[in-house]
């Protein structure tokens, strides 16, 4: 049951100033009398009366609290004391000002899939954006406004039903902004770029609670930062993005399962197929996992691969001929409207990857090409775990993604804070620890695979896509190895968030 009740609020933020010696603005001053022991009655009275009527406030005693605070991974679960769901954009300013006034830390939440370990340091008030989920297509048919709580699946469906598409993440369950503020990779990036490349303007609530418009012509310095490092700068209450006509009637998908003995052939074919970043633009997305399928073998993982082509089967199958030539345990295909391609590829709401509440231990490295020798080493490491620790191996997967990247590559890398346009393959090591006893082994395995991927690309540094990074990398690993990027981001932090209120998602300035 939704309610307007807060059970307890006994926490203080650890405001850390980026401006040593500067005077503290009024809105960040601590109360002369401590608010540590605020009661739920006080909060209800003080905040409940300031926000719009549909705003919902939950405490741990409320039935929905567990659902609202559930996460994709409990490995980096923030400590949420109170959840607020603003009903109007203006409520977000009110909530942030209230938190500042009472020295309470706050965290905006979209789809709840953030996996950065830094989230675990958070203790405070969660601003759940899910009520801000409206979408308004503009009269021109060239752009739409989206609420700050929109999630990929409903965005795809809403636009598709009206004859449009836009750039989104590939998984239906991911928040548009959780992904988009860090770039946002998905099936339309080869044609139209990342989510962030298509954002035209954003309404942002800054750390002091003020609401501003951020675009090429308004706070253009912040517009640069919001597109790649946006989690560090404000809460987006709504945003305008490019939209595009829906395109071909169907997408072709083809899923394969290969045995481990085919690994070298598969990765050789993948490297030729992507040809160092020149994947045909309609060959939108392939993703492959090493994972256990004991109906095939319990000795070692299998290679599960899925391809999605924007267009008819005959065009796609010509490009897939090298993969059709590899002896497969299983090969299935079909043609579906764009709105169903996530289901065909196992990335829809009800697919296993979207479920909440497990302990995922992850690591990730961005690659330009696959090193076949490295992939064999990684596979053999998985095979060893299949034998020595079957319970850990059972829930684990090692993912390799390949997008067509033409539109991403065409954009000037200096034009936004997204730093890794030259990279082509996202990877994700993802072990599910069945109990806390397995966490240390999962961590060691995650580090081992990350190190293997890095060693397999000599001379290149660790590029960790900020949204796949596990939070144990460095700031340049997330935001770029060019020193000017980090200097620019730090100076924008000093300007727009001088007291580092936004410091829980792979922070530019550590908490
Ligand atoms: C199963 C799975 C599938 C994924 N698929 C993709 C994919 O296809 N493409 C891709 O690029 N990434 C993908 N990711 C990575 C994903 O982009 C990040 O995990 C992202 O943080 C998830 O966003 P969220 O809104 O779901 O998570 P949340 O945990 O709700 O949000 C993550 C962070 O985003 C910030 N945030 C959220 N909403 C707002 C807002 N309105 N204003 C300001 N800040 C906000 C907050 O800092 C928050 O901590 C995937 C991750 C998982 C676990």
């Amino acid at each position: 049951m939704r309610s307007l009740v807060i059970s307890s609020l006994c926490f203080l933020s650890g405001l850390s100033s980026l401006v040593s010696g500067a005077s503290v603005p009024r809105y960040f001053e601590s109360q002369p009398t401590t608010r540590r022991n605020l009661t739920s009655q006080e909060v209800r009275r003080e905040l409940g009366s300031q926000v719009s009527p549909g705003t919902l406030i939950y405490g741990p005693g409320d039935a929905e609290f567990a659902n609202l605070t559930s996460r994709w991974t409990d490995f980096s679960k923030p400590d949420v004391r109170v959840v607020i769901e603003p009903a109007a954009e203006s409520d977000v300013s009110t909530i942030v000002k209230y938190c500042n006034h009472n020295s309470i830390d706050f965290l905006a939440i979209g789809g709840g899939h953030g996996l950065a370990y830094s989230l675990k340091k958070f203790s405070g008030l969660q601003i759940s954006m899910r009520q801000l989920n409206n979408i308004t297509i503009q009269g021109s048919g060239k752009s739409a406004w989206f609420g700050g709580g929109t999630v990929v699946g409903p965005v795809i469906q809403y636009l598709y039903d009206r004859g449009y598409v836009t750039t989104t993440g590939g998984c239906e369950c991911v928040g548009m902004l959780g992904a988009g503020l860090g770039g946002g990779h998905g099936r339309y990036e080869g044609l139209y770029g990342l989510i962030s490349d298509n954002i035209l303007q954003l309404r942002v609530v800054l750390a002091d609670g003020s609401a501003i418009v951020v675009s090429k012509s308004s706070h253009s310095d912040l517009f640069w930062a919001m597109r790649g490092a946006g989690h560090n700068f404000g809460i987006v209450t709504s945003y305008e993005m490019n939209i595009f006509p829906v395109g071909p009637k169907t997408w072709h998908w083809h899923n394969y399962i290969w045995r481990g003995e085919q690994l070298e052939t598969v990765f050789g074919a993948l490297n030729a197929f992507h040809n160092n970043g020149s994947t045909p633009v309609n060959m939108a997305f392939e993703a492959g996992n090493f994972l256990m399928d004991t109906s095939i073998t319990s000795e070692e993982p299998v290679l599960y691969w899925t391809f999605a082509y924007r267009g008819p089967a005959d065009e796609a199958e010509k490009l897939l001929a090298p993969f059709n030539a590899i002896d497969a345990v299983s090969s299935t295909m079909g043609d579906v409207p764009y709105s169903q391609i996530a289901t065909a590829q196992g990335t829809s709401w009800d697919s296993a990857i979207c479920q909440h509440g497990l302990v995922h231990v992850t690591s990730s490295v961005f690659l330009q090409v696959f090193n076949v020798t490295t992939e064999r080493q990684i596979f053999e490491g998985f095979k060893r775990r299949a034998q020595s620790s079957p319970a850990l191996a059972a829930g684990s997967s090692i993912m390799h993604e390949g997008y067509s990247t033409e539109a991403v590559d065409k954009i000037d890398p200096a034009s936004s804070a997204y730093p890794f346009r030259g990279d082509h393959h996202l990877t994700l090591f993802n072990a599910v620890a069945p109990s806390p006893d397995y966490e240390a082994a999962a961590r060691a395995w995650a580090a081992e695979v990350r190190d293997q991927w890095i060693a397999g690309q000599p001379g290149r540094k660790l590029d960790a896509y900020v949204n796949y990074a596990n939070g144990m990398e460095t700031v340049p690993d997330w935001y770029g190895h060019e020193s000017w990027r980090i200097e620019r981001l730090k100076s924008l932090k000093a300007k727009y968030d001088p007291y580092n209120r936004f410091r829980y998602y792979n922070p530019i300035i550590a908490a």
Side-chain angles (χ1 to χ4, degrees):
M1 266 264 296
R2 297 180 165 194
S3 66
L4 197 72
V5 175
I6 294 181
S7 301
S8 69
L9 196 64
C10 310
F11 46 91
L12 272 178
S13 71
L15 287 184
S16 53
S17 172
L18 301 182
V19 190
S20 67
S23 64
V24 178
R26 172 69 191 93
Y27 42 82
F28 289 130
E29 275 176 18
S30 302
Q31 288 293 297
T33 54
T34 180
R35 306 303 305 269
R36 267 181 236 204
N37 298 319
L38 273 180
T39 65
S40 57
Q41 288 81 0
E42 277 177 313
V43 176
R44 196 188 311 166
R45 190 184 67 242
E46 292 169 4
L47 182 58
S49 62
Q50 290 173 42
V51 289
S52 60
T55 295
L56 301 164
I57 304 176
Y58 304 87
D62 295 315
E64 279 214 38
F65 190 80
N67 180 34
L68 285 164
T69 53
S70 82
R71 316 261 325 154
W72 180 72
T73 177
D74 287 349
F75 188 59
S76 51
K77 196 168 181 158
D79 172 29
V80 176
R81 304 294 181 89
V82 173
V83 175
I84 304 193
E85 287 189 356
E89 288 188 57
S90 58
D91 293 326
V92 176
S93 285
T94 308
I95 294 164
V96 167
K97 285 177 185 164
Y98 174 81
C99 289
N100 289 335
H101 193 72
N102 290 284
S103 298
I104 299 164
D105 272 351
F106 52 85
L107 180 69
I109 291 294
H113 279 53
L115 48 90
Y117 200 58
S118 48
L119 287 165
K120 208 175 167 64
K121 291 192 178 167
F122 175 79
S123 179
L125 183 148
Q126 171 175 308
I127 305 176
S128 286
M129 302 294 285
R130 72 175 180 176
Q131 291 206 82
L132 302 180
N133 62 359
N134 50 311
I135 301 173
T136 313
I137 296 172
Q138 298 304 100
S140 66
K142 293 193 167 156
S143 71
W145 274 94
F146 300 85
T150 39
V151 175
V152 167
V155 164
I156 290 177
Q157 194 63 54
Y158 184 93
L159 292 180
Y160 184 82
D161 290 346
R162 289 156 183 80
Y164 297 101
V165 293
T166 192
T167 52
T168 65
C171 269
E172 290 184 345
C173 43
V174 168
M176 282 290 285
L177 288 168
L181 295 177
H185 289 271
R187 295 182 183 88
Y188 266 107
E189 72 174 74
L191 205 55
Y192 301 128
L194 304 169
I195 295 178
S196 59
D197 295 332
N198 287 290
I199 293 179
L200 301 169
Q201 52 180 326
L202 311 105
R203 295 197 185 106
V204 179
V205 171
L206 296 175
D208 63 2
S210 60
I212 61 170
V213 173
V214 178
S215 70
K216 259 186 197 163
S217 54
S218 170
H219 301 281
S220 59
D221 52 356
L222 187 55
F223 189 54
W224 176 86
M226 291 304 291
R227 292 168 303 141
H231 315 88
N232 281 272
F233 288 96
I235 300 177
V236 180
T237 57
S238 62
Y239 56 103
E240 184 185 14
M241 272 184 81
N242 291 320
I243 58 172
F244 308 92
V246 85
K249 222 171 156 189
T250 54
W251 281 54
H252 181 69
W253 59 272
H254 197 149
N255 298 344
Y256 304 85
I257 302 177
W258 292 293
R259 292 290 297 258
E261 65 199 15
Q262 306 286 11
L263 183 145
E264 282 75 10
T265 320
V266 170
F267 278 98
L270 286 168
N271 280 338
F273 180 73
H274 289 294
N275 194 19
N276 202 13
S278 56
T279 320
V281 74
N282 285 332
M283 187 46 82
F285 174 57
E286 57 84 6
N289 276 293
F290 303 162
L291 49 77
M292 296 305 295
D293 183 339
T294 51
S295 71
I296 298 170
T297 171
S298 49
E299 294 292 305
E300 60 178 23
V302 294
L303 279 59
Y304 173 88
W305 241 263
T306 175
F307 293 78
Y309 183 83
R310 179 179 171 271
D314 57 337
E315 286 177 19
E317 288 299 322
K318 270 185 213 142
L319 296 167
L320 293 172
F323 300 98
N324 292 333
I326 305 171
D327 190 24
V329 178
S330 144
S331 165
T332 49
M333 65 180 98
D335 297 272
V336 291
Y338 174 62
S339 57
Q340 289 168 31
I341 192 69
T343 303
Q345 292 203 288
T347 63
S348 61
W349 279 105
D350 44 8
S351 63
I353 190 68
C354 276
Q355 305 316 308
H356 278 202
L358 298 172
V359 174
H360 295 263
V361 180
T362 62
S363 62
S364 178
V365 179
F366 233 145
L367 305 172
Q368 277 182 327
V369 291
F370 294 118
N371 181 322
V372 182
T373 311
T374 298
E375 293 303 333
R376 170 55 67 188
Q377 287 166 358
I378 291 171
F379 183 88
E380 293 301 319
F382 202 146
K383 186 173 173 176
R384 282 196 298 281
R385 267 80 178 193
Q387 287 153 17
S388 65
S389 188
L392 180 58
S396 300
S397 60
I398 302 183
M399 186 173 72
H400 307 74
E401 293 183 343
Y403 298 89
S404 65
T405 51
E406 189 176 295
V408 179
D409 291 346
K410 270 190 188 153
I411 291 169
D412 175 5
S415 65
S416 78
Y418 179 79
F420 299 133
R421 289 186 190 276
D423 292 338
H424 307 131
H425 297 299
L426 274 169
T427 62
L428 187 70
F429 170 88
N430 172 17
V432 173
S435 78
D437 294 346
Y438 288 88
E439 271 188 37
R443 277 183 187 235
W445 189 10
E448 175 187 303
V449 173
R450 180 203 57 207
D451 292 348
Q452 287 167 320
W453 272 321
I454 296 170
Q457 47 170 18
R460 296 192 76 229
K461 293 184 172 154
L462 169 57
D463 294 352
Y465 174 41
V466 69
N467 287 332
Y468 279 23
N470 63 19
M472 294 166 204
E473 306 84 355
T474 68
V475 172
D477 295 341
W478 303 322
Y479 298 111
H481 298 286
E482 304 102 316
S483 54
W484 66 266
R485 285 189 182 275
I486 309 302
E487 281 157 26
R488 189 166 179 187
L489 288 170
K490 282 185 176 166
S491 93
L492 289 168
K493 277 294 276 185
K495 178 173 174 186
Y496 287 104
D497 183 18
Y499 296 94
N500 206 14
R501 298 291 268 160
F502 296 100
R503 62 178 183 279
Y504 294 106
Y505 192 88
N506 293 332
I508 293 162
I509 311 290

